[in-house]
Structure formats: C-alpha cells, structure tokens
Amino acid sequence: MPNKKFALLLSAGVAVLASPAFAQGGASEPGETAESIGVADIIVTARKRAESLQNVPLSITGIGAEEIADRDISSIGSIDTLAPAVFVETAAGPTTSGVVANIRGIGGSDSTGVSDYPIAMYIDGVLMSRPNALLFDMVDLERIEVLRGPQGTLFGRNTTGGAINIFTKGPSDTFGLQEKVTLGTDNLFKSRTTLDTGQWGESGLSAKLAYSHEQQSGYVKNRWKGGTADPGARNSESGFLAIHGDVSSAFRFDIRADVTSARNAPLWQQLSAMKPLQYQYFSQSAALGGAPLVLQNHYSDKVTVASQPRGKQTIWGTSLTMEYEVSDALTLKSITGYRRFKESQAVNNGGQGVLMGKLLDGSVGRVYMFDYPDPARARDRQFSQEFQVTGTVSDFDYVVGLYYFDQKYDSTTTQRFTYVVPFSATDIRGSNLVNFRDYETRSKSYAAFTQVSWKPSSIEGLELTGGLRYTHDKKELAQANYYNGAALKPGLGKNSWNNLSWLGSVTYRVSPEVLVYARVSTAYRAGGFDAGGSGNPNGYDPEKAISYEAGIKTDLLDR
C-alpha cells in the first residue's frame, strides 16, 4: 500500500463568489446548503427530498463543501475513512481506474464487469455501475452522502451494503475564477482551474467550466527499465462542464458533462508466501539467467517489476436533470444519464522481474505467476433514466418513481501462468499456459418505487415511513474463450429476476436536540454469470439482505 502523503495547498484566484445557499440550484436541490457549520446544518437528499441530516432515520454521514475543500477531495478514491465502517481503496489487478469499497463489511474485490457491486455509487443522481470506472477527477464537489445498510427502496438493486451519493457544485450566479495548485510527496503536482460565467443577463442561464491536471511519480521506485513503470504513477487530464437554467420560477434544468484521460500504472502487488513446490521452482530463476524471485513480508521502496507499463483510460459522461414544481403537493423530476469507459492495462500480479524457468521440453524460458503482460482491455457504456414525483399532501410526504437502466460491457484478457510439474525431487519443470477470455455482458433493469412518510399532526414529533420497490432485471453474457491457442466452445447465458424490496421506519423527536428511530430495510443484488470456461457460462442467483437498525441522533453541543 502507498505510504502516507503530505500536501501543500496553494490557492489563488480572482472571484466574486455567490452565497453558499447557491440559489442557482445546481445538481443539488434548490436553496439547500451543504456547509459543514454543524451536524444539523448539512442538508441531504437520501430520501429524494432535501432535509437536515439529523432528521433522516438511517445511518448516514454527510460531508459538506467546506470539509471537502479542506481535505482536497475530488474523487471517490479520496473518501476512505471519512465515514464510520466505510472502506474505499484503489483496486489492484489489471485496472488503475477502479475501486474496492466496503460498507459494514459488505463489498467485494471484483472490479470488472462480470458481477454487480453491492454498493451503489451515484454522481448527481446518476448510477456509476462499474467500480473499475470510478477513479476520475470530479473537479468541484458540493456534498457527499454515505448511506450505510440496505437501500433497496429508493436506490434500487445492488445496494445490499449501502450507497454513496456525490454531488458536484453547480454554477454560481456571479462571475468567478479560481486556480488551485497542490504539491506533495512523490512529485505530486495537481492544478485545477475553475471558471464561473455568472448568470447571462436575464436569461436565467449560468455555466461552470473546470480543467484539472494531476501527475505523480510512483510510491515505490521500479528498478526494471523498459516496458514498465513505477507502481502507482499517475498522469491525468480532466474537464468538467455544468450548465444551470432557471427557465421560470417553477422549471429548472442542469446539464453536467465530464471527461478524463489518464496514463496510470497499477499498484505493486507484493508476494509474501508460496507453497514449497512453487517456491522451489521459481527460486531457480536467478541461476537460469532470470531475475531473482522476490519473496518478502516487509515494505520496500525499491522493487523490480517487469511488464507493467502505464495503461490508458478514458472515462466520460453526461447527464440532464430537469425539475418542474407544479405546487407544494406535486414536483416532477427527470434524471437522464449516459456514460462510457475504456481501459487498456497490463499488470504483473506477482510483482516480479522477468523470471526464467526450466520448461517441459528441457529448454529454459520465461515463466509467469498469474500475470497479464498483454494489456487487458475493457469497454463499458450505460444509459439510465429516472422519473420522480414528489410532494407533500396534508400530513404526508411522498415520492413515486420509475427507473430504467441499460448497460453493455465487453472485456478481453490474456492471462499467462506456469503450471509446475515435478519430474523428480530435483528435476522440476514448468508448463506455460495461456488463458484468453473474451466476453460481452448486457444488463437491463426496470423498476417502480414509492415511499410515504406520515407525520400525524395530532402527535408532534412522530413520523411513520413505509416504502416499496419492484425490480425486474434481465442479463445475458456471451463468451468465446481460448485455452493454449485452442478455441473453447462458445456459450451464451440468459436469465431474469424479479424482486420486491421494502422498508419501514418509526421516528420520534423527543426534543429539538434528540431524535430516536427504528428501521427495517431490505435490498437485493442482481444475479449474473461467471465468464470463463467452455460452453454456456455458469450462473448465480441474486443476493438479498435485510437489516434491523435502531438509533439516536443528538445535537447537544453548543454551536
């Protein structure tokens, strides 16, 4: 893992800034503020409506714009340790743009497109479905919400562990220009330029443009020269555009667009133990003219890693959010999102140099430990559409919605490994095997949901909430794999699943400073297929979770 960094932040600019209440609306709800002045001052939209974090009956952490700026957070990979029981780290393996996330111990390590992740991540209301397409600079953030526990009613499938909502800053009503430079260890240099146009006359339109560049040397030095890089080295360019429009007092819209192009190197994966037979075989490498086998359980700032160059990643996306407030009893909202991702990355899983070994025919050649010296390639495109109807009628707050999701993901990987064969106690040889995987997945999801909260006027401080979500998922996976150059039988897997998730909660405000609640919630993780092998892929059924939670929220400190 990388060692801890320090950073010196230099910020300079000429700006006329808008009020923190950001009346322009942006990606967040109009009129709300996300400044971290106090716990109760953070406004969140975990229940599809703007309300104080202290009034939400679930385990949630809200991080406002001030804390985000203080910590220089600009991507999902930077939010680790910001919330209790939340773990987010850069993924290892043939990717440099993916993350591994866990909430309350529920998560996963698969950063590919084979399976769905149990933690849903949203940016400006748009689902980021692939964990290997999440490490990109989001340039200017307004608020982060971390929801722990199943969120199957309002956030849908693949939320058995929880959900992370990230909101970018909308344009300011006034002109502003800001330049921020960050310097740090390992030659970190990060520059971010943000321009707010201000409102264009009386049009109700305003825009924000931002550009960022980040580069950093690897956190360990790679002695190997040629066709490789220092582990963890980064070099990326990102652009961001936000347009806000107040068409009328009742209708507003927001457009977001982002693009990131990166040339990054994977993390160093350290080998600390091996089985005796494999150790006996690979440790002969130095005597046969190859690099020595490196087996250690302590940190080293100098390594020898072959065949691990900088990869290529391109991530871009856009979204359109429209909202029409008919009355207090009826608000219509539409969130449309489209994203694409492409990556090419080689990786040396064993963290070794060029190892040499004795092969089956007695010759000496290069041998491998489950490596990807040929770049693994992945592409993804997704489209999502959500419609919401929200409002307040008498003592009832309600939300009703429809959701559609369509995704296509394809991947090709060439995995090389050496199978060790003992001819005798002193004659151990290896067979170089090549496993080529070529698969394409297609996922579609349809959902309808509702949630209603009742605050009886006859019992001050009481709130009863219930919610339902019906989901229909369809998936298919087509594969055409090769093993040692021989084509395996191609296969196609298709399946569909239905699910009804629900929740119920009781909330009572004992006093202005104290709120108690109890909550039961469910969620569902879609089934799928395992790519690899011959013929039709093996399938697996959905995962379901139910959570019982009780808590107390207090704001007793004198602010």
Side-chain angles (χ1 to χ4, degrees), residues 1 16 29 55 62 93 102 154 161-162 180 187 205 207 275 278-279 284 295 356 395 403 425 459 476 515 538 556 558:
M1 297 300 296
V16 181
E29 300 297 324
N55 292 333
N102 284 269
L154 292 183
K180 183 159 61 174
N187 301 313
L205 298 175
K275 290 184 176 181
Q278 281 69 30
Y279 176 78
Q284 301 175 89
L295 198 68
M356 304 295 286
D395 294 339
Y403 183 75
I459 308 176
E476 63 180 53
L515 177 142
N538 295 321
L556 302 178
D558 183 8

Side-chain angles (χ1 to χ4, degrees), residues 55-388:
N55 292 333
V56 181
L58 62 90
S59 182
I60 176 175
T61 297
I63 305 164
E66 183 178 338
E67 184 174 357
I68 290 172
D70 289 344
R71 294 175 178 263
D72 196 30
I73 298 171
S74 61
S75 74
I76 288 177
S78 305
I79 67 174
D80 186 41
T81 73
L82 287 184
V86 176
F87 171 88
V88 181
E89 287 288 349
T90 302
T95 179
T96 58
S97 56
V99 299
V100 174
N102 284 269
I103 296 180
R104 290 178 172 173
I106 297 178
S109 58
D110 183 7
S111 59
T112 68
V114 175
S115 62
D116 288 312
Y117 222 65
I119 297 168
M121 302 190 188
Y122 291 81
I123 299 177
D124 294 325
V126 176
L127 174 66
M128 307 285 108
S129 63
R130 291 272 58 85
N132 59 335
L134 286 170
L135 279 185
F136 60 94
D137 196 340
M138 289 173 280
V139 181
D140 210 4
L141 298 182
E142 175 65 35
R143 186 175 77 257
I144 300 172
E145 302 172 6
V146 180
L147 287 63
R148 294 181 288 278
Q151 307 295 326
T153 304
L154 292 183
F155 292 94
R157 67 186 189 131
N158 307 328
T159 58
T160 51
I164 299 175
N165 298 327
I166 297 178
F167 299 89
T168 58
K169 283 186 179 179
S172 172
D173 285 337
T174 54
F175 176 82
L177 177 64
Q178 184 184 62
E179 173 67 26
K180 183 159 61 174
V181 176
T182 303
L183 305 175
T185 52
D186 297 328
N187 301 313
L188 171 66
F189 174 79
K190 187 173 182 179
S191 172
R192 183 184 304 158
T193 305
T194 305
L195 170 67
D196 277 294
T197 66
Q199 191 170 122
W200 304 340
E202 301 299 321
S203 67
L205 298 175
S206 55
K208 179 191 293 286
L209 297 98
Y211 165 79
S212 73
H213 170 79
E214 180 179 0
Q215 64 185 55
Q216 187 173 27
S217 302
Y219 59 92
V220 292
K221 186 67 176 176
N222 192 354
R223 296 192 198 83
W224 194 267
K225 304 299 180 184
T228 194
D230 293 341
R234 302 183 61 81
N235 193 317
S236 66
E237 316 279 341
S238 299
F240 175 78
L241 169 67
I243 299 175
H244 176 75
D246 284 317
V247 180
S248 68
S249 60
F251 179 69
R252 63 184 67 87
F253 71 87
D254 287 281
I255 297 174
R256 295 286 191 270
D258 65 85
V259 61
T260 294
S261 177
R263 296 293 306 272
N264 304 326
L267 302 178
W268 173 46
Q269 301 186 75
Q270 182 173 326
L271 188 64
S272 60
M274 293 182 74
K275 290 184 176 181
L277 179 63
Q278 281 69 30
Y279 176 78
Q280 185 180 354
Y281 177 75
F282 287 106
S283 62
Q284 301 175 89
S285 175
L288 297 174
L293 174 68
V294 178
L295 198 68
Q296 60 186 35
N297 54 14
H298 61 273
Y299 174 80
S300 176
D301 59 0
K302 291 183 176 62
V303 298
T304 302
V305 183
S307 305
Q308 187 166 283
R310 291 177 182 263
K312 298 178 181 179
Q313 300 84 29
T314 303
I315 304 171
W316 68 270
T318 185
S319 66
L320 169 64
T321 301
M322 297 181 291
E323 187 173 78
Y324 182 62
E325 187 176 352
V326 180
S327 66
D328 290 342
L330 180 62
T331 298
L332 307 176
K333 189 173 186 178
S334 168
I335 304 174
T336 307
Y338 182 80
R339 299 201 64 83
R340 294 189 75 103
F341 159 75
K342 181 171 65 174
E343 181 174 40
S344 174
Q345 180 66 64
V347 66
N348 187 324
N349 278 332
Q352 305 292 320
V354 174
L355 299 177
M356 304 295 286
K358 191 175 181 181
L359 303 178
L360 290 182
D361 61 3
S363 64
V364 174
R366 184 173 180 180
V367 292
Y368 303 90
M369 293 184 179
F370 225 63
D371 298 330
Y372 297 85
D374 310 285
R377 293 179 169 85
R379 295 184 304 174
D380 177 72
R381 73 110 181 99
Q382 69 167 68
F383 171 81
S384 62
Q385 175 64 57
E386 181 169 348
F387 296 108
Q388 299 174 15

Side-chain angles (χ1 to χ4, degrees), residues 542-555:
E543 172 186 280
K544 299 177 182 179
I546 183 169
S547 172
Y548 303 88
E549 181 178 339
I552 178 171
K553 294 191 174 186
T554 64
D555 192 13

